[in-house]
Amino acid sequence: MNHPPDDLNGRMFDVAIIGGGILGAGIARDAALRGLSVALVEQNDFASGTSSASTKLIHGGLRYLEQFAFLLVAESCRERRILLDMAPHLVRPLPLIMPAYRGDPHSLFQLRLGTTIYDWMTLSRHPRMPRHTTLTAAQAVEREPALPLHNEHGDPLQGAVLVYDCQMDDARLCLETILDAARHGAVCRNYCRAEAFQFQEDRLAGVTVRDRFTGDESELRARVFINATGPWAESVSAMNGRSPGIRLSPTKGVHLVLPQIVQQHGIYFQSRGDGRMIFLLPWDDASLLGTTDTDFRKDPSLARAEPEDVAYLIEQLNAIMPEVSVEQRDIITAFAGVRALVRSDSRRPSSRSREEKIIPQGTSLLHVAGGKYTTFRAVAEKVLKQVGRMLQRRLPPCRTDRTPLPDSRPTASGRRLSSAPPVFESDIRFACRQEQARTLTDVMRRRTRLALSAAGGADTAGHVADIMAEELHWTDDQRQKQMDDYLRQRSG
Ligand SMILES: Cc1cc2nc3c(=O)[nH]c(=O)nc-3n(C[C@H](O)[C@H](O)[C@H](O)COP(=O)(O)OP(=O)(O)OC[C@H]3O[C@@H](n4cnc5c(N)ncnc54)[C@H](O)[C@@H]3O)c2cc1C
């Protein structure tokens, strides 16, 4: 899917999407499957924003039941089912253990009640998703031996609930959605930044786009423009020079990648002090711990795992699993993402609504933000309904709920670079030739999951950089710069 540099110029698209995260990707695929002409531009790499920094769960959102967000939970459960069928190579069921110690903010009884309602909300159950069950303390520890029988205060484990959600590869799901949109005719370009809006009379008629590698400028023209820039949505909407079309209350979430602690199950535990829910999940040869939820008003590109975020997560884990005793030096890597929550009055970040907002501005511009990764397909369908009104056209029906997303990776061949996650030389060459990979970080972090595994250190990165240097004709200096950039990002 490599395109000539001027393929955006001189065409009138039905829909032009700014932002190559999962929302932009989902909208592009839905629109392309309905036969519309589509362009998508992304300022960095596809999925380089929030869509590669999530907890990587396709979930109904058990904790949203506490906020009485029943519609969001029901919609998420339905989407979980659709995504399991649509992309079984990227979305798989994950058993989660929710332990209850004496004195926890939520008792075992409350956890059982919550998961019973959660099961009811899943109106039509997927055959691969069993109902929740209750475990005794001994059964819970037998399943995940890292779970202690007593917490740090000596309070006993009273039992646990075993509930099922799904785990996914967020960056890859976003990328493959874009690849499939391109297969259906969409022109999708990474490293192309929307820089200015062009108006004709009062109507948004074009967007100036700059290729960040060549510096070339294009004029992107379309009948409808969609601002799907996640946490950047407010600043992009301000390009219209008038009042911003959308207002956000963003929050930052940090995850740590740690050596393997859990084997088969995720653990969903109640944090000490603030009562937030924290996930410890199996992730290739490692474990993923997250997340924090704190107000973040800066440029989303500046979001980092700060020392206080890391300290909070380590403290929480060590409180629940004192014998694991994780220290700062055990961290393999860390990453941070920004939630594009639509502005609300709620002062507590974790109680702000996760529902999306679709806001038309004028006759040719739509802003869309909020929502969860889980609901991207449904949100895209709602956006397309609005696009149809703006185009004053009856669009063909949505097909994304029954069109499988093909596994676009090549069959494994050549040298094996890593076993967990499994990565072969052919994956790297394919990423450069067919998946618009331009930097070492693109391949380590988003074409493969190497960056989030113990295998993603300097040795493997060096092998990947050698292959990419051949494919993309890097000089020695360019190769070295790519290595420096990648290793700097990995160390936070
Ligand atoms: C810590 C954390 C954990 C989460 N965990 C989960 C989870 O487990 N499950 C779940 O369902 N949801 C989860 N979410 C929510 C989910 O990740 C987001 O809802 C989703 O990724 C948002 O996608 P998006 O496309 O709106 O934004 P993004 O992925 O941020 O995409 C927006 C894109 O727009 C691009 N852009 C910005 N400005 C421009 C411009 N001028 N020109 C061109 N491109 C531009 C950016 O570079 C970016 O790539 C989590 C979120 C966070 C922060």
Side-chain angles (χ1 to χ4, degrees):
M1 79 157 193
N2 291 327
H3 296 283
D6 63 349
D7 57 359
L8 294 175
N9 262 327
R11 280 182 69 177
M12 171 62 91
F13 292 93
D14 291 322
V15 185
I17 299 153
I18 308 170
I22 191 60
L23 271 188
I27 297 164
R29 181 170 187 254
D30 189 333
L33 278 166
R34 295 184 204 225
L36 297 181
S37 61
V38 180
L40 178 148
V41 289
E42 161 56 49
Q43 64 177 357
N44 291 312
D45 188 22
F46 302 126
S48 58
T50 314
S51 297
S52 56
S54 79
T55 309
K56 306 176 201 316
L57 291 175
I58 294 293
H59 62 153
L62 186 53
R63 77 179 183 80
Y64 304 131
L65 288 177
E66 277 190 327
Q67 300 167 8
F68 305 108
F70 296 114
L71 286 179
L72 177 65
V73 175
E75 181 181 56
S76 305
C77 290
R78 192 196 61 214
E79 289 303 308
R80 187 179 62 185
R81 183 190 166 90
I82 292 173
L83 292 175
L84 255 172
D85 285 336
M86 186 180 110
H89 60 297
L90 295 172
V91 179
R92 64 178 185 89
L94 176 74
L96 287 156
I97 294 177
M98 300 175 67
Y101 291 88
R102 193 171 63 205
D104 271 356
H106 295 97
S107 65
L108 183 60
F109 173 76
Q110 285 171 315
L111 295 183
R112 287 173 60 187
L113 184 66
T115 41
T116 303
I117 298 172
Y118 197 51
D119 272 347
W120 284 343
M121 310 236 37
T122 314
L123 295 174
S124 99
R125 173 158 297 280
H126 194 281
R128 291 169 63 206
M129 295 285 290
R131 283 186 192 285
H132 84 272
T133 50
T134 306
L135 304 176
T136 62
Q139 286 169 333
V141 175
E142 193 185 335
R143 281 176 176 260
E144 278 304 331
L147 206 59
L149 280 167
H150 294 86
N151 68 10
E152 78 277 25
H153 306 302
D155 293 321
L157 177 63
Q158 299 193 302
V161 176
L162 179 69
V163 63
Y164 282 77
D165 260 314
C166 289
Q167 191 172 38
M168 50 125 178
D169 182 337
D170 53 2
R172 199 67 219 173
L173 183 52
C174 177
L175 176 77
E176 294 201 10
T177 304
I178 288 178
L179 293 173
D180 201 51
R183 225 171 273 129
H184 288 89
V187 176
C188 301
R189 306 248 330 253
N190 58 358
Y191 294 102
C192 279
R193 185 163 195 269
E195 291 198 331
F197 286 173
Q198 311 296 338
F199 289 89
Q200 260 173 17
E201 292 160 10
D202 232 16
R203 190 172 187 283
L204 177 62
V207 170
T208 307
V209 170
R210 186 178 301 278
D211 183 313
R212 293 186 49 203
F213 276 80
T214 62
D216 291 347
E217 229 177 55
S218 312
E219 170 82 10
L220 176 57
R221 298 197 314 130
R223 296 180 178 87
V224 176
F225 292 88
I226 298 172
N227 170 14
T229 52
W232 289 263
E234 188 171 324
S235 58
V236 168
S237 84
M239 288 201 300
N240 73 13
R242 302 155 202 201
S243 59
I246 190 159
R247 296 221 181 245
L248 303 177
S249 299
T251 70
K252 183 180 81 169
V254 167
H255 289 86
L256 307 182
V257 181
L258 299 170
Q260 194 167 51
I261 301 170
V262 282
Q263 319 284 330
Q264 305 285 341
H265 307 73
I267 295 184
Y268 189 20
F269 63 88
Q270 304 167 50
S271 68
R272 301 299 183 251
D274 58 9
R276 298 192 59 248
M277 299 303 291
I278 302 224
F279 288 100
L280 178 67
L281 304 172
W283 184 251
D284 290 325
D285 58 354
S287 293
L288 191 62
L289 176 71
T291 172
T292 59
D293 199 357
T294 50
D295 283 315
F296 192 78
R297 300 271 165 202
K298 295 187 229 163
D299 175 350
S301 320
L302 301 175
R304 301 276 179 280
E306 301 294 346
E308 58 272 22
D309 303 315
V310 173
Y312 169 85
L313 288 170
I314 289 185
E315 186 188 323
Q316 296 303 329
L317 181 65
N318 286 341
I320 187 96
M321 294 182 173
E323 282 173 25
V324 169
S325 179
V326 165
E327 292 179 33
Q328 181 116 10
R329 60 163 185 242
D330 299 321
I331 299 171
I332 295 170
T333 185
F335 60 91
V338 181
R339 300 175 184 86
L341 306 181
V342 178
R343 190 167 292 186
S344 79
D345 297 334
S346 174
R347 300 182 72 186
R348 230 180 123 220
S350 52
S351 57
R352 282 180 207 150
S353 169
R354 265 53 180 170
E355 278 173 45
E356 80 284 351
K357 279 271 185 307
I358 301 169
I359 305 175
Q361 194 174 25
T363 53
S364 59
L365 175 61
L366 267 181
H367 306 284
V368 53
K372 298 160 58 190
Y373 200 117
T374 304
T375 52
F376 80 91
R377 194 212 60 81
V379 175
E381 189 175 345
K382 291 177 206 168
V383 168
L384 263 291
K385 210 176 250 179
Q386 186 70 37
V387 168
R389 278 185 219 123
M390 289 173 120
L391 291 173
Q392 298 181 332
R393 247 203 259 169
R394 204 187 154 88
L395 301 184
C398 177
R399 290 201 284 135
T400 53
D401 56 344
R402 63 211 110 99
T403 310
L405 190 64
D407 183 352
S408 62
R409 292 179 74 164
T411 39
S413 74
R415 195 160 36 119
R416 183 195 278 264
L417 301 173
S418 149
S419 45
V423 177
F424 292 81
E425 184 178 329
S426 50
D427 294 317
I428 315 302
R429 297 199 185 278
F430 188 80
C432 296
R433 292 176 198 176
Q434 299 296 330
E435 297 181 339
Q436 287 191 42
R438 312 279 288 271
T439 71
L440 181 58
T441 303
D442 294 350
V443 169
M444 297 294 289
R445 180 75 170 83
R446 293 174 290 270
R447 303 304 179 281
T448 71
R449 300 194 292 267
L450 283 168
L452 301 188
S453 75
D459 281 358
T460 313
H463 294 310
V464 173
D466 288 342
I467 300 167
M468 291 189 75
E470 259 177 58
E471 289 288 328
L472 302 176
H473 313 294
W474 289 341
T475 61
D476 287 349
D477 285 352
Q478 285 170 324
R479 180 195 173 283
Q480 190 54 48
K481 182 173 179 315
Q482 293 288 333
M483 283 292 286
D484 294 345
D485 287 351
Y486 167 68
L487 293 173
R488 196 175 45 246
Q489 287 189 33
R490 182 169 152 93
S491 64

